[in-house]
Each structure stands twice: as C-alpha cells, then as structure tokens.
Amino acid sequence: LPDTYVSNGVERVEVLKGPSSILYGSNAMGGSVNIITRRQREDGYYGKARAMFGSFSTQKFNLSTGFRKGKFSGTIAGSLDRSNGNRSGSAFWLANEMVNLGYELSGNWSAGATVTMTQTHADNPGTLQSPLEDMWTYMGRGTASVFAHDHYAWGEGGVQAYVNWGRHNVDDGHAPGAEARDYLFHSNDYNMGLTAYQTMHFWQASDLSVGVDYAHWGGHTWNTLKDASKTKEEGIRKCVNDIAGYVMMQQGFFSGILDVNAGIRLQHSGQFGNEWVPQAGAIVRPLEGSMIKFSWGKGFRAPNIRELYMYPPHNPDLRPERLYNYEVELRQTLLGGRLDMGLALYYIDGSDMIQTARVDGKPLNVNTGSFINKGFEVDAAWRIDRRWQLAANYAYLHTNNATVLYAPKNKLWGEVSFQPGAWTLAASVNSIWSLETGGPEKSDYALVNLRGAYTAYKGDVRVQPFLKLDNIGDKHYEVVYGCPMPGISILGGVEVSF
C-alpha cells in the first residue's frame, strides 16, 4: 500500500543501492529510498505554489510554505491530484497534507515533530482479459513522529518515536453482467515503534555507529453488508513485535586512499525468530578522480501480514526471503569533473522466495525456489559547457528465474538538456527490452519525452511556466499484462516561488 509522502514537502531524496537491511531491516533488500523533509534553515518565510493541467482531465495542485524565527521553524505542505485515467473506469483523486515543526533546544540538540496524511479514492477497471465494474478503493493513511537529534564534535545521533497507520474500504466489484457483491471489505493496519542511533568519531577517519529498533505492527480485516452497515463479519486480527540492534564501523587509511567498513545486525521477530544481517565493503581511490568500490551484504524481506494471515493462500509459518549481494563499482571523473563515468558489476544469490503454490489442491503461500541475478550497469554524465549536458545509463540483468515479473533484461536511458539563458529544454528516451509482464509475450518499448520551462524573476518572486510531453511517439505498451499504459500525454502548468 502507498505511504504518505508529499512531494512538495520534500527537500531531497537519497537512493541507496544494494541491500541496506543492516540499517533498515526488512524490505530493504535491493536498496532503500531516504526521503528528507524540507525544513526552513534561515529566518523568514518562503512559499511555493504549483498548478498543472493535462491529458485525461488530469489536474495537480501543490502548495507549501515554511518559516523560521529564532530557534523555531515549521513547514506546511499540501497537494491535490485528480485524473479521469487513461481507461474508462480508472479515475482517481489523491490529497496529501504535511506539517513539520522543529525547535533548536541548544547548540547541540534539536527536536521536532512531523505529521503527514494521505486520502485517496481510485476506481479499478480490471484487466482487458478480466474487466471489472464498480470496483473502487478508498484509503486514508497517516504518519506521525517526534524526534530529537544531537550533534557534537565527537559524534551525532538521534531518537525517534513513530506511528504509521492506514484505513481502507474496498468494493471488489463484479464482472460485466454478473451480480454485484453485497458486502464491502475493510482493513486497518498500523506500524509503530522507536528507533535510536549514535555515531561516534573516536579517532581520525573513524566512524562507529550503534543503533536499536523496536517495532509493533499488525492489522485487522472485516466485512460489512451494504444494506446493513452495522452488521460486521469479523475477519483477521493479528500483530507482531520486532526488536533489533546493529553496529557498524568505518575506518579510513592513507589519507583517504582506502576506506573499509563492516557491520552486523541482529533482528528478532515474534513471527520468524532471529535474523542475522552482515555487511562489509571497501573503497579504494588509487588516482585522482578515480574510485573502486567493493561491497558484500545480506538483505531480507519478512513476510507481511497479508501473506501470513489474510486471504486463502495465507501461511503463518512463512520464513523471510533472503539474498546476498556482491558488487564491484568503478568510477572515474575527467575534464576537471565535468565528465563522470561509472561501471558496476553485481551478483545476487536469493533464496526462500515467497510464492503461491498448490498444496493438497488448495493455494498456499510457501517459501520455495531461489534465484541468481547477475549483470552490470554503466552510466555517464557530461557537462559539455554552461548550457549543454548529456547523461545516459544502461543496465543488463540476467536471471535464472524466467518468471520474475517487471524486471527487464535490458534498460537504456539517455537525456540531453539545453539551458540557453532563462530557458531549460530537455529530451530523453527510455528503452526497455525483454520485460516479463505476466502475459504470453515479453514487452519491448521505447518512450521519448520532452520537457521545457522558462524561469523569470521579479524581485524575490520566481515564476516558472513549464510543459511536459510524455511518450510523444504514442507508443502502446504494457508493464502489467492486461493494463495498457497511456499513449501520448501532455501536462503543463506554472510554479511560483517566493
């Protein structure tokens, strides 16, 4: 299910490649995305508003404002998205709200709180092969947290308490001509806990990090009859407790030429017991502008509450999915840093995949099968001059499991951007070969996209009208079998910052 992120309340996004379960536990198998909330750092106010309109009656409105006065700061952001969808019966709307407050307790300590809410309603027309009528989903989700951070010359750290919850109502719809269902499905879920960490610099070029995590998560499902909403059919009510601790050490040698790191995490779950997560790596900088990185680590994904306890295939005896990742990356910068090139080689050994199988004639979630993924990624970015930039990357994936969905064997992306004065113009292409969609044939497609924007200033106010054209070749393709993606689509608008 989607979480509660407000795009215009985000300062930046960090993407960590490879398993990061040592820090974040379950689900961080292939990587993780760290979303940093925007905070006002200087006294005064700022604001940003954006309005967009486009194909399929799409409308997007964003508004954010922030302020800081002395030790107190705050950010408020909200958005509303609406669209009729590219297929009949696929309309949706989504609203987000975010409030973030912070206070500088002293020169070494700060504290704050964040609340984010999301509400969405979506219609689902089903697949082309199995269409549906009157299927809809309403979801209300929220996240709240309070935190305190410390920052000293010898180290930095923090502690955070959080809760994430969701409320969902679903009408499963019916096939054309079939009788409508007489009930609605409901589910609640929650994930709450406490996390604390501290990084210490005991001597030169060293970092020692220790942390603990506690989580209590679970959910509840039930049905109500449409003509008697007070009549409740109880479903499943379950919860799980997890506690974990980790330690990581990084040490530099030879004035930054060599960095080595290693760490381990122990996670104990009330559902599957103990899980050890080791990780190690090294970075060598043999020449100016060059880097060689070696990494090895474990990732895992614990079975979720749906796989364990809900719906007919559920199995409370499931074990976590696991993988070991081996990776070598080479990077080189040239032309005074204007050209950056990289090559990464990886090998992934996975086991205990959770899949649905037939056991005694009935569907059952089981830990079965393994997979080997190996391949490489190559990328380059060239800042030709002040106005022209080129960037491209290519990824190749070979897997011994031919049924892995949505993971293309070949992916190529390239972009050229041109910035003459106040204009910003860009053209990009995204090409996919050999994508398993769940259908009888693999999917191959190439999408060409165009971007244009003009930036004007009047005092402290910035006005930026923009236009985005996606899939200008009107390519017809599918990522999920039976769910055609949009053809050519246009989205234009204006953003005002002050």
Side-chain angles (χ1 to χ4, degrees), residues 441-470:
E441 297 180 354
K442 296 181 180 180
S443 181
D444 302 321
Y445 58 88
L447 308 178
V448 179
N449 309 312
L450 301 177
R451 302 285 188 270
Y454 181 83
T455 304
Y457 291 90
K458 186 173 183 180
D460 294 331
V461 178
R462 186 190 74 164
V463 179
Q464 186 181 68
F466 58 88
L467 182 66
K468 303 193 296 181
L469 291 84
D470 290 328

Side-chain angles (χ1 to χ4, degrees), residues 340-394:
D340 184 7
M341 302 177 294
L343 169 65
L345 309 172
Y346 63 89
Y347 180 91
I348 299 172
D349 185 0
S351 61
D352 288 329
M353 294 179 62
I354 298 175
Q355 298 177 332
T356 301
R358 304 291 296 188
V359 177
D360 296 329
K362 299 179 180 179
L364 183 70
N365 293 331
V366 294
N367 292 99
T368 181
S370 61
F371 65 90
I372 299 293
N373 286 352
K374 51 188 176 182
F376 67 90
E377 299 176 358
V378 59
D379 67 272
W382 182 20
R383 192 174 70 254
I384 302 172
D385 56 29
R386 183 177 57 84
R387 298 184 301 173
W388 287 94
Q389 296 185 59
L390 295 175
N393 62 59
Y394 169 78

Side-chain angles (χ1 to χ4, degrees), residues 271-394:
Q271 187 270 325
F272 59 80
N274 292 335
E275 189 75 20
W276 290 93
V277 183
Q279 180 174 303
I283 299 175
V284 183
R285 302 176 182 87
L287 300 171
E288 183 179 356
S290 65
M291 182 193 75
I292 305 173
K293 178 181 177 182
F294 307 89
S295 63
W296 167 80
K298 178 182 177 180
F300 77 98
R301 185 186 76 84
N304 59 43
I305 197 168
R306 173 183 57 82
E307 295 164 330
L308 290 167
Y309 305 116
M310 297 179 181
Y311 315 121
H314 68 83
N315 181 358
D317 297 322
L318 289 172
R319 303 182 304 275
E321 298 179 333
R322 302 176 175 93
L323 65 79
Y324 286 92
N325 181 77
Y326 308 81
E327 186 167 343
V328 179
E329 181 180 5
L330 298 89
R331 299 212 67 84
Q332 180 68 54
T333 59
L334 298 170
L335 305 177
R338 292 188 295 112
L339 176 60
D340 184 7
M341 302 177 294
L343 169 65
L345 309 172
Y346 63 89
Y347 180 91
I348 299 172
D349 185 0
S351 61
D352 288 329
M353 294 179 62
I354 298 175
Q355 298 177 332
T356 301
R358 304 291 296 188
V359 177
D360 296 329
K362 299 179 180 179
L364 183 70
N365 293 331
V366 294
N367 292 99
T368 181
S370 61
F371 65 90
I372 299 293
N373 286 352
K374 51 188 176 182
F376 67 90
E377 299 176 358
V378 59
D379 67 272
W382 182 20
R383 192 174 70 254
I384 302 172
D385 56 29
R386 183 177 57 84
R387 298 184 301 173
W388 287 94
Q389 296 185 59
L390 295 175
N393 62 59
Y394 169 78

Side-chain angles (χ1 to χ4, degrees), residues 87-409:
R87 298 173 59 197
S88 177
S90 63
F92 79 92
W93 63 263
L94 181 148
N96 292 115
E97 308 85 34
M98 188 274 288
V99 177
N100 174 266
L101 302 175
Y103 187 77
E104 299 292 334
L105 299 171
S106 67
N108 303 110
W109 282 89
S110 62
T114 300
V115 177
T116 306
M117 302 289 292
T118 298
Q119 307 84 38
T120 183
H121 186 283
D123 297 326
N124 183 358
T127 65
L128 296 179
Q129 294 75 23
S130 301
L132 292 171
E133 295 181 353
D134 301 325
M135 180 177 180
W136 56 265
T137 301
Y138 172 80
M139 295 185 290
R141 299 197 63 82
T143 299
S145 64
V146 293
F147 59 88
H149 293 160
D150 68 84
H151 185 84
Y152 292 91
W154 54 266
E156 60 277 332
V159 59
Q160 176 177 258
Y162 64 90
V163 58
N164 184 313
W165 70 92
R167 306 288 185 266
H168 317 97
N169 304 318
V170 181
D171 189 328
D172 287 321
H174 56 90
E179 185 177 353
R181 302 174 191 265
D182 62 354
Y183 66 91
L184 297 179
F185 169 79
H186 309 272
S187 73
N188 298 343
D189 67 75
Y190 58 86
N191 182 0
M192 62 184 70
L194 181 73
T195 179
Y197 74 96
Q198 188 71 37
T199 299
M200 295 156 283
H201 320 298
F202 288 126
W203 50 82
Q204 186 176 6
S206 71
D207 290 321
L208 175 64
S209 299
V210 295
V212 294
D213 299 320
Y214 169 76
H216 173 73
W217 56 274
H220 175 208
T221 69
W222 71 96
N223 294 333
T224 58
L225 297 176
K226 293 180 180 179
D227 59 356
S229 60
K230 292 184 180 180
T231 301
K232 181 183 294 187
E233 179 187 334
E234 288 292 341
I236 302 295
R237 186 188 298 269
K238 293 290 183 178
C239 63
V240 177
N241 292 298
D242 291 340
I243 188 168
Y246 66 87
V247 59
M248 289 188 64
M249 180 69 187
Q250 178 172 306
Q251 179 65 57
F253 299 94
F254 313 118
S255 301
I257 295 178
L258 172 65
D259 288 314
V260 295
N261 64 81
I264 194 164
R265 177 188 184 95
L266 173 60
Q267 179 145 338
H268 177 78
S269 169
Q271 187 270 325
F272 59 80
N274 292 335
E275 189 75 20
W276 290 93
V277 183
Q279 180 174 303
I283 299 175
V284 183
R285 302 176 182 87
L287 300 171
E288 183 179 356
S290 65
M291 182 193 75
I292 305 173
K293 178 181 177 182
F294 307 89
S295 63
W296 167 80
K298 178 182 177 180
F300 77 98
R301 185 186 76 84
N304 59 43
I305 197 168
R306 173 183 57 82
E307 295 164 330
L308 290 167
Y309 305 116
M310 297 179 181
Y311 315 121
H314 68 83
N315 181 358
D317 297 322
L318 289 172
R319 303 182 304 275
E321 298 179 333
R322 302 176 175 93
L323 65 79
Y324 286 92
N325 181 77
Y326 308 81
E327 186 167 343
V328 179
E329 181 180 5
L330 298 89
R331 299 212 67 84
Q332 180 68 54
T333 59
L334 298 170
L335 305 177
R338 292 188 295 112
L339 176 60
D340 184 7
M341 302 177 294
L343 169 65
L345 309 172
Y346 63 89
Y347 180 91
I348 299 172
D349 185 0
S351 61
D352 288 329
M353 294 179 62
I354 298 175
Q355 298 177 332
T356 301
R358 304 291 296 188
V359 177
D360 296 329
K362 299 179 180 179
L364 183 70
N365 293 331
V366 294
N367 292 99
T368 181
S370 61
F371 65 90
I372 299 293
N373 286 352
K374 51 188 176 182
F376 67 90
E377 299 176 358
V378 59
D379 67 272
W382 182 20
R383 192 174 70 254
I384 302 172
D385 56 29
R386 183 177 57 84
R387 298 184 301 173
W388 287 94
Q389 296 185 59
L390 295 175
N393 62 59
Y394 169 78
Y396 171 80
L397 166 67
H398 174 77
T399 178
N400 69 339
N401 189 335
T403 62
V404 175
L405 300 179
Y406 321 130
K409 185 175 183 179

